[in-house]
């Protein structure tokens, strides 16, 4: 048979890899143009981050353009898609980032990292780290009066290096966690000595060899998780590696998490919801993390990353979640808002 047509691995509904190495993606391949979104008042553009092809889509509230000196939080966002599908340029992510940037009044860098299986994990983490460093350098170079960073006027004029956030959904949340872990390790660091103020994990993709209660509802849950993780990592890491199972870390290892504040959101109908809950519990209980705030927000009655699909949930549920993220980014302290307890959405009436 033609090796370009003979199936090597069928990972439907995501992709199929053929014996020749060719990969056919079955979802997440559409692309929409950047521009100004009339509904949210946000403008976007596409930029190249390096000569190797790493790219991103930048977002900014349109009314800020032409107002030098008006500073906004810097949000670096990583899309989901099981490490293997979707991009920063898809319609779903353009809609979501437009809404989030409008609500949070931020300037955002949505990163188009390389995908597995052609580029197995940890390539996504390396690209994400490079993109974060690029964004911070472009933001702080001129403002700090130090050696200029890459030329990007939206970031140089409007980004606030004292208010840096990393965020992502599903596997993008996994990426955001691993980037924050890298930021706190000795030998790493961001340009100008910048720090990550906050980390936002939206329905993050974490798994592990010991199933949690919410995972027991799906037959063959562990088998499927192990197969997928082995596929996107080319078999390099097991299902309890800290990359995918931070709950396997010792309490002292949380000291490396290089952010001051953390927000984790979970969906009430998501089989991974208990992973997100346990993540927040472990972070609070570690005693080693130097951060100030770990918040859990629950989207009740909805499924995994419902906010990316028009057919999932209600408009109210989506708006409530976006508002919760915007509130977290705007708040300098948990006091007077959520305190150390669990925060929950009011989206119990969301449509399935």
């Amino acid at each position: 048979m033609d090796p370009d047509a003979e199936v090597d691995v069928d990972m439907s509904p995501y992709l199929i890899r053929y014996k020749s190495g060719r990969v056919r993606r079955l979802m997440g391949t559409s692309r929409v143009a950047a521009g100004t979104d009339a509904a949210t008042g946000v403008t976007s553009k596409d930029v190249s981050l390096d000569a190797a092809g790493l790219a991103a889509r930048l977002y900014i509230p349109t009314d800020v353009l032409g107002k030098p000196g008006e500073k906004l939080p810097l949000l670096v966002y990583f899309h989901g898609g099981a490490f293997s599908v979707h991009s920063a340029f898809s319609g779903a992510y353009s809609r979501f980032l437009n809404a989030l940037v409008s609500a949070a009044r931020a300037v955002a860098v949505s990163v188009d990292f390389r995908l597995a299986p052609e580029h197995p994990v940890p390539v996504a983490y390396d690209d994400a780290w490079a993109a974060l460093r690029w964004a911070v350098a472009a933001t702080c170079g001129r403002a700090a009066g130090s050696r200029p960073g890459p030329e990007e006027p939206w970031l140089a004029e409007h980004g606030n290096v004292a208010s840096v956030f990393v965020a992502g959904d599903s596997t993008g949340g996994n990426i955001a966690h691993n980037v924050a872990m890298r930021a706190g390790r000795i030998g790493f660091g961001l340009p100008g000595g910048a720090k990550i103020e906050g980390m936002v994990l939206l329905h993050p993709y974490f798994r592990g060899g010991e199933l949690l209660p919410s995972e027991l509802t799906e037959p063959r849950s562990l088998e499927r998780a192990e197969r997928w993780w082995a596929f996107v990592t080319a078999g390099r890491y097991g299902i309890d590696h800290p990359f995918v199972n931070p709950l396997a870390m010792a309490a002292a290892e949380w000291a490396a998490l290089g952010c001051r504040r953390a927000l984790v959101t979970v969906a009430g109908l998501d089989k991974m919801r208990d992973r997100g809950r346990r993540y927040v519990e472990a972070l609070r209980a570690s005693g080693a993390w130097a951060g100030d705030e770990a918040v859990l927000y629950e989207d009740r009655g909805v499924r995994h990353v419902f906010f990316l699909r028009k057919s999932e949930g209600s408009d109210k549920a989506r708006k409530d979640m976006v508002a919760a993220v915007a509130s977290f980014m705007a708040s300098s302290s948990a006091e007077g808002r959520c305190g150390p307890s669990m925060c929950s959405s009011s989206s119990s009436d969301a449509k399935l």
Side-chain angles (χ1 to χ4, degrees):
M1 291 183 65
D2 180 358
D4 203 37
E6 187 177 0
V7 173
D8 177 27
V9 180
D10 187 337
M11 302 299 279
S12 299
Y14 297 102
L15 57 81
I16 296 173
R17 184 175 67 190
Y18 297 90
K19 290 290 181 67
S20 66
R22 178 174 72 92
V23 174
R24 178 164 66 96
R25 289 181 166 81
L26 307 176
M27 62 164 61
T29 59
S30 64
R31 177 172 177 149
V32 299
T36 298
D37 180 55
T40 58
V42 170
T43 296
S44 59
K45 67 178 179 180
D46 297 337
V47 296
S48 175
L49 276 58
D50 63 21
L54 184 60
R57 178 161 289 182
L58 273 56
Y59 296 81
I60 195 169
T62 307
D63 61 4
V64 171
L65 296 173
K67 297 180 180 178
E70 184 168 346
K71 296 295 185 180
L72 304 176
L74 171 64
L75 172 65
V76 181
Y77 192 89
F78 311 111
H79 68 81
F83 293 104
S84 63
V85 295
H86 285 296
S87 79
F89 311 119
S90 72
Y93 282 101
S94 291
R95 286 192 303 272
F96 179 65
L97 266 297
N98 279 327
L100 182 55
V101 166
S102 175
R105 296 289 297 174
V107 56
V109 179
S110 182
V111 182
D112 198 52
F113 52 86
R114 288 172 290 177
L115 300 176
E118 300 96 323
H119 306 284
V121 172
V123 171
Y125 303 148
D126 295 339
D127 284 355
W129 177 250
L132 175 61
R133 286 185 54 84
W134 177 92
V136 170
T139 300
C140 77
R142 299 178 192 174
S146 58
R147 185 168 51 200
E151 294 292 327
E152 177 36 60
W154 286 9
L155 300 183
E157 294 174 10
H158 300 294
N160 182 0
V161 76
S163 187
V164 177
F165 291 82
V166 295
D169 65 279
S170 193
T171 49
N174 175 298
I175 292 170
H177 158 80
N178 279 288
V179 165
M181 291 294 294
R182 187 176 295 195
R185 291 195 177 105
I186 296 174
F188 291 90
L190 296 175
K195 303 293 184 182
I196 298 173
E197 163 66 14
M199 174 185 70
V200 179
L201 311 184
L202 306 175
H203 304 180
Y205 176 88
F206 297 129
R207 300 307 297 258
E210 181 180 351
L211 295 181
L212 300 184
S214 62
E215 296 166 337
L216 294 172
T217 60
E218 180 184 280
R220 302 172 61 193
S221 178
L222 179 57
E223 178 185 340
R224 292 177 180 177
E226 288 180 324
R227 180 172 182 252
W228 187 261
W229 181 242
F231 179 68
V232 298
T233 65
R236 296 175 183 175
Y237 310 106
I239 199 66
D240 282 318
H241 191 282
F243 281 163
V244 72
N245 186 11
L247 299 181
M249 297 193 304
E253 294 182 77
W254 288 97
L257 188 66
C259 61
R260 190 176 75 82
R261 302 161 58 225
L263 169 66
V264 179
T265 77
V266 298
L269 302 181
D270 185 354
K271 66 178 179 292
M272 292 185 288
R273 62 188 180 272
D274 285 347
R275 293 276 165 190
R277 291 167 178 161
R278 296 278 183 92
Y279 181 99
V280 173
E281 292 170 3
L283 185 55
R284 291 173 179 168
S286 73
W289 180 49
D292 298 334
E293 176 188 22
V295 176
L296 178 67
Y297 176 94
E298 181 160 353
D299 295 298
R300 298 174 182 168
V302 291
R303 302 180 190 277
H304 187 66
V305 296
F306 75 97
F307 47 85
L308 295 175
R309 295 185 288 270
K310 293 180 179 179
S311 60
E312 287 277 348
S314 66
D315 287 341
K316 182 179 185 303
R318 282 188 286 273
K319 290 177 181 178
D320 283 351
M321 194 216 69
V322 168
V325 176
S327 177
F328 173 80
M329 292 178 63
S331 176
S332 61
S333 171
E335 296 299 324
R337 184 169 60 87
C338 296
S341 62
M342 179 184 296
C343 299
S344 295
S345 78
S346 57
S347 58
S348 58
D349 60 341
K351 299 176 183 178
L352 301 182

